[in-house]
Amino acid sequence: MTTPSHQSDDIIRAARQSLSVQRAGGRRLAPQGAQRLKRGHFTRKLRNIIFAVVGIWLALTIIGPIISGIGFTGLAIGAAATVAAVWLFGSYPRMKTPGLADLNPAQADVRTMVGRTELWLESQRRALPTPAVKLVDTIGLQLDVLGEQLAHVDQNHPKAQEVRKLVGEHLPGLVDGYQKIPEHLRYEESAGGSPNTRFMDGLSTISGEIDSLTRQLAAGAIDNLAINTRYLDYKYGAGLEEDIKAR
């Protein structure tokens, strides 16, 4: 059976592998939290298409006997209505990119909030300089790990509230604030460095804090694994040595 400690190990291992791909110049991996929201949107659209198509042909099946058969014309109408339904419900509703106001609503669970922030960050990449894009992609991968951990954390947990502040407010606030600075002013040096330097430093600080939160949330699982390993070694390892000596 999969234990929380095993899940944490798998999550951290996957994140390290993803970061290794990034550092090696490999392809950019889409954040899984954002992908989870996209899959949910696609699933709802597919459900709407199925309901619409079933409804169309069910209606024709009911109407047919009443009018003594629908004939070729009825079949053509049904086919046209099916095509129209597939196009309509396949195209709409479009998935809305979250805005700043959507990132940290009190009623949303913290894992969903992290996924929304990933979607929002993904939409901001084109407006950022290349070094910042690389950092944002790294943060997206870190948020994947954090999102998986938050699936098992109570919404009122102090660390969950820290995540809300860091990921739902400080991170988007930093990116939005940088984008409001005119391009030609971003690299002007002033006391404390240029806006671009301060922005990169801010992203690095947030990345480090996300890593710290990830480690704190995983600490319990890591400690439990260490305790279980020591217990198994004490319970079976010592007994095995005594059995070998007895032989």
Side-chain angles (χ1 to χ4, degrees):
M1 183 175 69
T2 302
T3 64
S5 60
H6 289 157
Q7 291 175 344
S8 295
D9 289 344
D10 291 341
I11 291 168
I12 293 173
R13 189 180 304 112
R16 286 173 178 166
Q17 290 172 348
S18 297
L19 289 173
S20 296
V21 171
Q22 287 297 108
R23 290 167 181 157
R27 66 184 181 87
R28 175 178 173 267
L29 301 177
Q32 295 303 305
Q35 291 299 312
R36 179 172 56 85
L37 294 178
K38 290 178 180 178
R39 284 195 299 270
H41 179 73
F42 174 78
T43 300
R44 288 189 293 273
K45 289 170 72 171
L46 182 61
R47 177 201 61 195
N48 292 342
I49 290 173
I50 293 173
F51 284 167
V53 172
V54 170
I56 289 168
W57 290 101
L58 182 61
L60 289 174
T61 301
I62 295 173
I63 294 172
I66 297 176
I67 61 175
S68 301
I70 58 175
F72 177 78
T73 302
L75 290 175
I77 292 173
T82 299
V83 171
V86 170
W87 177 83
L88 179 63
F89 292 106
S91 302
Y92 301 96
R94 299 187 186 279
M95 186 170 187
K96 179 185 176 183
T97 300
L100 283 174
D102 303 318
L103 299 186
N104 195 14
Q107 68 271 20
D109 69 89
V110 68
R111 189 186 184 197
T112 298
M113 183 271 297
V114 168
R116 287 176 179 171
T117 300
E118 289 182 28
L119 273 177
W120 183 81
L121 275 178
E122 190 177 310
S123 70
Q124 307 304 307
R125 293 176 79 255
R126 292 183 180 179
L128 301 177
T130 301
V133 169
K134 293 179 179 179
L135 255 177
V136 165
D137 287 346
T138 298
I139 289 173
L141 294 171
Q142 290 178 306
L143 291 178
D144 284 343
V145 179
L146 189 60
E148 290 298 325
Q149 288 180 297
L150 291 170
H152 312 288
V153 175
D154 186 89
Q155 295 296 300
N156 296 318
H157 192 286
K159 295 303 175 187
Q161 300 307 313
E162 286 186 41
V163 171
R164 281 190 180 278
K165 283 287 184 182
L166 181 66
V167 178
E169 295 181 20
H170 299 320
L171 173 57
L174 177 69
V175 175
D176 183 61
Y178 175 76
Q179 291 179 339
K180 290 178 180 177
I181 300 173
E183 177 72 26
H184 69 284
L185 297 178
R186 293 177 182 178
Y187 298 91
E188 283 193 2
E189 293 290 336
S190 60
S194 67
N196 189 69
T197 300
R198 288 194 288 269
F199 176 57
M200 294 296 295
D201 289 344
L203 287 177
S204 296
T205 298
I206 287 176
S207 177
E209 187 60 27
I210 293 173
D211 180 70
S212 176
L213 284 169
T214 298
R215 293 176 183 277
Q216 291 174 48
L217 289 171
I222 292 172
D223 290 343
N224 287 339
L225 179 62
I227 292 170
N228 290 337
T229 302
R230 285 197 294 270
Y231 171 78
L232 291 172
D233 185 59
Y234 172 79
K235 178 73 174 178
Y236 300 105
L240 181 59
E241 290 178 5
E242 291 176 1
D243 183 56
I244 291 174
K245 291 178 180 178
R247 292 181 183 180

